[in-house]
Amino acid sequence: MLIRLLSGSARGRLLLAAGLVTALALPWVIYPPVAMDIACWALLAVAVDLLLGFTGLLSFGHAAFWGGSAYVSGLIAVHTGLPFPVAVLGGALFAAALAVPIGYLSVRLRGIYFAMVTLAFAQMMYFVANQWRGLTGGENGLQGIPRDFLGMDLSDPFIFYYVALPIVLLGLALAWRITRSPFGRVIMSIRDNPARARALGYRVDRYRLLSFVLSAFLAGLAGGLYAISHGFASLQEVYWTTSGQAVMMVVLGGIGTLWGGVIGAGLVVELNDYLATAGFEEIGIVTGTIFVIIVMVFRKGIWGTARALLE
């Protein structure tokens, strides 16, 4: 009741404070490596929602940016010894650069055709990573990725979480700023009525391409940080199921809500960890069943439905 009585700006500040407190308290409540996984997947889900919910483009190719950045960040960390934030930034810039040709060839397509073309590019990335064994390690993956940062001992996952958390928060803040900027308003208008936006003089494909590149950059931040956290990068990072899982997180939380992806990521990662720890082998059956139930009960996703009730 109190939240409903607050103004929109005050409600936003209250929810922001609640989110920050949750992020800071997370490794005290659950296993710190799992908390770090939730943070990385949450940033990936937000990146996907920026493209799906605000631009209207369903991508099944974000595994290329997540996984490509994981490998590049790992290679930078292994061969240069630079601090891990620099390595993560390098991986994110690689993901953004990779998104330029992929987006240029894809954004002219719509619907399932766009999704299939991005999926095809992601599978090409998977093939390259698998075949270039001298660089990526092939099926063995890229192992021994260090966590160097100003001489600090980051072997403790609890400490690493708090050192790496600002990168995730900066990525989330960037996504929020994009959606609240004039650029964000334009891509939403293009999502709703591209013909009218084009008639008003906006170069629709250029705006879609820029949104695609920004989404890839955020996905690259998440993927690079995920590789540093685990100490290795594997073929699983560039496999198409990674893209599918990110889309599922967005749908669970609520498409076009931005923060719904964070909730979806927390639910999926924590559920997978709980089932794996319990020794349950058919994890896909449980997660699939829960996905169907949530979609049927919460038509706008968990956070989308909750936000509609608050408003």
Side-chain angles (χ1 to χ4, degrees), residues 103-156:
Y104 182 80
L105 297 173
S106 304
V107 295
R108 293 175 174 81
L109 304 174
R110 303 292 178 268
I112 190 63
Y113 302 104
F114 176 86
M116 291 298 100
V117 169
T118 54
L119 173 61
F121 279 113
Q123 289 302 96
M124 290 172 58
M125 189 70 180
Y126 174 85
F127 176 79
V128 171
N130 188 28
Q131 294 299 316
W132 203 348
R133 295 181 176 86
L135 185 68
T136 65
E139 295 180 353
N140 295 323
L142 180 64
Q143 303 179 21
I145 299 176
R147 298 177 178 178
D148 296 331
F149 183 64
L150 303 178
M152 297 176 61
D153 182 13
L154 299 179
S155 58
D156 186 346

Side-chain angles (χ1 to χ4, degrees), residues 3 11-12 15-16 18 49 180 249-264 294 298 300-311:
I3 294 179
R11 186 167 60 236
L15 293 173
L16 176 61
D49 195 28
R180 296 299 188 275
M249 292 172 179
V250 173
V251 175
L252 285 175
I255 298 174
T257 63
L258 201 64
W259 308 126
V262 177
I263 297 175
I294 290 179
F298 303 101
K300 297 180 179 180
I302 297 173
W303 178 240
T305 302
R307 189 177 66 173
L309 292 174
L310 293 176
E311 293 175 351

Side-chain angles (χ1 to χ4, degrees), residues 2 32 77 91 94 124 131 140 150 173 193 201 204 217 226 250:
L2 175 62
F94 169 81
M124 290 172 58
Q131 294 299 316
N140 295 323
L150 303 178
N193 196 326
V204 172
F217 177 81
Y226 185 84
V250 173

Side-chain angles (χ1 to χ4, degrees), residues 177-195:
R177 186 67 188 90
I178 290 171
T179 59
R180 296 299 188 275
S181 67
F183 170 79
R185 302 299 180 186
V186 172
I187 61 174
M188 283 188 280
S189 67
I190 292 173
R191 174 201 62 190
D192 296 335
N193 196 326

Side-chain angles (χ1 to χ4, degrees), residues 64-83:
F65 311 129
W66 162 281
S69 175
Y71 278 109
V72 171
S73 298
L75 289 170
I76 293 174
V78 169
H79 294 291
T80 67
L82 291 171

